[in-house]
Amino acid sequence: MINNIKGFVEQLNYDAEVFGNSFEYSGKRIFISGMGGSGAVADLLSDWLDGEIIPVKGYNLPAFAENGDLGIFVSYSGNTEETLSVLDKALRRGLKCICISSGGALEEIARDRGLLFLKVPSGFQPREAYGFLISAVVKALKIVGYLSEDAQREYSSAVGKLSNYLPELSSEDSKTYEVAGKLYRRIPLIYSQFYSVAVRWKNQINENAKNFAHISIFPEHNHNEIEGFEFPDFLKDKAWIIFLRTDFDHGRVKLRMEVVKEILREEVVGISEVWAKGESKLEQILYLIWFGDFVSYWLALMNSTDPYRIDRINSLKERLKIHTSGG
């Protein structure tokens, strides 16, 4: 897995195969359907772009989606039942549809219907293929004419510079290893203004390290969670706060994080900050995401667990199959 994490930039540069019928999209709304590692792409696009990007995580298409809107359906395996359900509803409602997967039912449907389909390499865990899926969605947005030239340049620049950070992120002498050590045998409380960053950290820590983690997004955190540190008592002995910070955080969010650090300092075991590097918003978001991927891997090793093992997810899928087949 460590080599696949190191290969994140190569994935972001991947040129996905394209099949089906192309089209131009001049609308504003884009619904991106996906779950888990596939769904994380929607979170990234929503945080990065100023357009109306609407992540869809579940079985249903939002009621306000209408004929002519754009839907992008991302499932690494191509068999994610929630994503397939949303695609069926989108086709019935007349959305323009783009499908992205490594194969599976999603590819079959796309090819049968002549939908624009972008194929990514198979053989990875969905969370390992995050870069492939990002690059495929970005390419799809270019094809349909949605992505501005400024955004295209920002993407190329961010990905081009990201590889410079590999040496400082990938060694056991790195800050990533240090942060993992802070989280060992503790409950990570992950705070950020950008949902895509925080949720990727959480998901990777959950799946790779088999470690519970919690996120909260600023400034919403200040209106509720900040009061939740009195009980249970064990939080003072188990919780470690991580602030994920960028130069693109709102000015008041920056101030709020500084104040919250002081208010909560005595309520948890400790507090860490990870500051993004890079010039553009996208570069800084990708830096923090990549940083968290390494943290999750080191934490898996510290927990003496196999990052590829997903016993509970597999057990859930098997039980769902029984109910689907009427057993």
Side-chain angles (χ1 to χ4, degrees):
M1 178 171 283
I2 187 65
N3 289 329
N4 289 327
I5 294 174
K6 289 179 179 179
F8 184 49
V9 175
E10 294 177 17
Q11 292 188 15
L12 291 170
N13 278 314
Y14 184 74
D15 189 16
E17 294 181 88
V18 180
F19 304 92
N21 300 318
S22 183
F23 57 87
E24 291 289 322
Y25 180 65
S26 58
K28 295 181 178 179
R29 286 192 299 215
I30 301 180
F31 299 89
I32 304 181
S33 173
M35 304 298 297
S38 301
V41 181
D43 302 322
L44 174 67
L45 270 290
S46 180
D47 277 342
W48 170 36
L49 298 176
D50 295 328
E52 196 173 350
I53 310 281
I54 302 153
V56 180
K57 299 186 180 185
Y59 291 91
N60 294 315
L61 184 67
F64 57 88
E66 59 187 13
N67 187 297
D69 284 340
L70 177 61
I72 301 178
F73 303 87
V74 186
S75 167
Y76 180 68
S77 69
N79 297 315
T80 307
E81 66 179 44
E82 297 94 331
T83 306
L84 294 172
S85 172
V86 179
L87 173 60
D88 178 66
K89 294 175 174 63
L91 290 170
R92 294 174 185 271
R93 212 176 293 180
L95 272 70
K96 296 177 179 293
C97 297
I98 302 172
C99 299
I100 296 170
S101 78
S102 65
L106 196 62
E107 179 178 6
E108 292 178 12
I109 294 169
R111 288 181 179 270
D112 287 345
R113 301 290 293 262
L115 304 177
L116 183 59
F117 174 71
L118 286 80
K119 187 164 186 170
V120 297
S122 61
F124 297 85
Q125 289 287 333
R127 61 190 182 279
E128 285 185 295
Y130 189 38
F132 289 128
L133 298 173
I134 293 171
S135 61
V137 172
V138 168
K139 182 173 182 177
L141 293 177
K142 289 180 185 177
I143 290 172
V144 300
Y146 181 87
L147 204 63
S148 69
E149 291 186 2
D150 285 344
Q152 292 180 43
R153 283 193 292 269
E154 183 178 352
Y155 184 84
S156 296
S157 175
V159 174
K161 294 175 181 177
L162 206 60
S163 59
N164 296 330
Y165 305 119
L166 180 59
E168 70 182 63
L169 296 177
S170 60
S171 76
E172 295 189 19
D173 295 326
S174 66
K175 183 74 180 295
T176 61
Y177 194 88
E178 177 186 330
V179 170
K182 301 292 187 184
L183 302 183
Y184 176 58
R185 300 182 69 83
R186 291 175 178 145
I187 301 171
L189 306 181
I190 303 163
Y191 296 157
S192 174
Q193 177 179 316
F194 293 104
Y195 180 79
S196 61
V197 174
V199 77
R200 175 68 177 182
W201 271 62
K202 174 189 175 298
N203 292 349
Q204 290 291 81
I205 288 171
N206 290 159
E207 288 195 73
N208 290 340
K210 314 300 179 286
N211 208 112
F212 185 83
H214 169 77
I215 66 171
S216 192
I217 307 303
F218 273 62
E220 176 67 17
H221 167 280
N222 297 170
H223 297 268
N224 36 67
E225 181 163 319
I226 193 173
E227 284 294 342
F229 283 80
E230 289 186 35
F231 306 102
D233 295 340
F234 68 73
L235 277 177
K236 287 188 177 181
D237 299 320
K238 288 295 183 182
W240 191 283
I241 293 175
I242 306 172
F243 288 95
L244 304 177
R245 309 191 62 172
T246 80
D247 296 332
F248 296 87
D249 294 342
H250 190 282
R252 296 292 291 180
V253 166
K254 293 178 182 179
L255 175 60
R256 286 173 179 273
M257 286 186 172
E258 292 298 328
V259 175
V260 168
K261 276 194 302 182
E262 297 306 314
I263 293 174
L264 297 182
R265 192 172 298 278
E266 302 302 319
E267 307 296 334
V268 294
V269 179
I271 296 174
S272 296
E273 288 185 301
V274 179
W275 278 91
K277 295 186 179 182
E279 297 179 6
S280 69
K281 179 166 71 170
L282 179 61
E283 186 179 349
Q284 293 201 5
I285 287 174
L286 291 173
Y287 175 89
L288 287 177
I289 285 172
W290 205 14
F291 192 111
D293 285 1
F294 281 107
V295 169
S296 73
Y297 177 76
W298 301 132
L299 187 56
L301 298 187
M302 294 175 188
N303 286 340
S304 300
T305 190
D306 177 3
Y308 282 114
R309 181 173 56 80
I310 47 171
D311 297 342
R312 294 175 183 84
I313 292 176
N314 289 333
S315 176
L316 172 63
K317 289 180 178 179
E318 289 301 316
R319 296 186 188 194
L320 290 174
K321 284 181 182 178
I322 293 173
H323 288 282
T324 300
S325 63

